[in-house]
Amino acid sequence: SYADTKSFETIADGFAKDSSSVYFMGEKLSNVDVESFEFLGGPLCRDSRGVYFKGETLPGVEPDSFVQLGRGYVKILHEVYY
């Protein structure tokens, strides 16, 4: 299906959304919940079910355990990644 032009908005870094879907680089992300979608910066986003990198689920990463620290660093539980 096509994006809803009335509610469509560009977010940043290839992400966009409308009233029923989230898109990355023009592709609809069927696994992302638009109601709880949150853009995290760069290629990262999350919803109530998971954290996504370029629209792909990061396995085993709970949305509430993911914290951006800035300058490209993120913390997942007790581990820090760059």
Side-chain angles (χ1 to χ4, degrees):
S1 68
Y2 296 100
D4 175 28
T5 57
K6 291 181 182 177
S7 64
F8 187 85
E9 63 180 288
T10 301
I11 298 167
D13 298 324
F15 284 97
K17 71 175 187 172
D18 65 16
S19 61
S20 62
S21 301
V22 175
Y23 305 86
F24 180 70
M25 302 302 286
E27 298 293 321
K28 182 178 177 179
L29 303 178
S30 59
N31 55 332
V32 179
D33 173 50
V34 71
E35 295 297 319
S36 60
F37 171 80
E38 178 184 1
F39 173 68
L40 298 173
L44 294 164
C45 68
R46 72 174 152 197
D47 65 10
S48 61
R49 299 178 290 211
V51 177
Y52 309 92
F53 178 80
K54 295 184 178 180
E56 299 294 322
T57 304
L58 292 176
V61 179
E62 296 295 323
D64 293 337
S65 70
F66 184 91
V67 178
Q68 284 193 294
L69 302 174
R71 298 184 178 247
Y73 289 91
V74 296
K75 183 174 102 172
I76 302 171
L77 292 177
H78 303 290
E79 297 182 20
V80 175
Y81 300 90
Y82 178 75

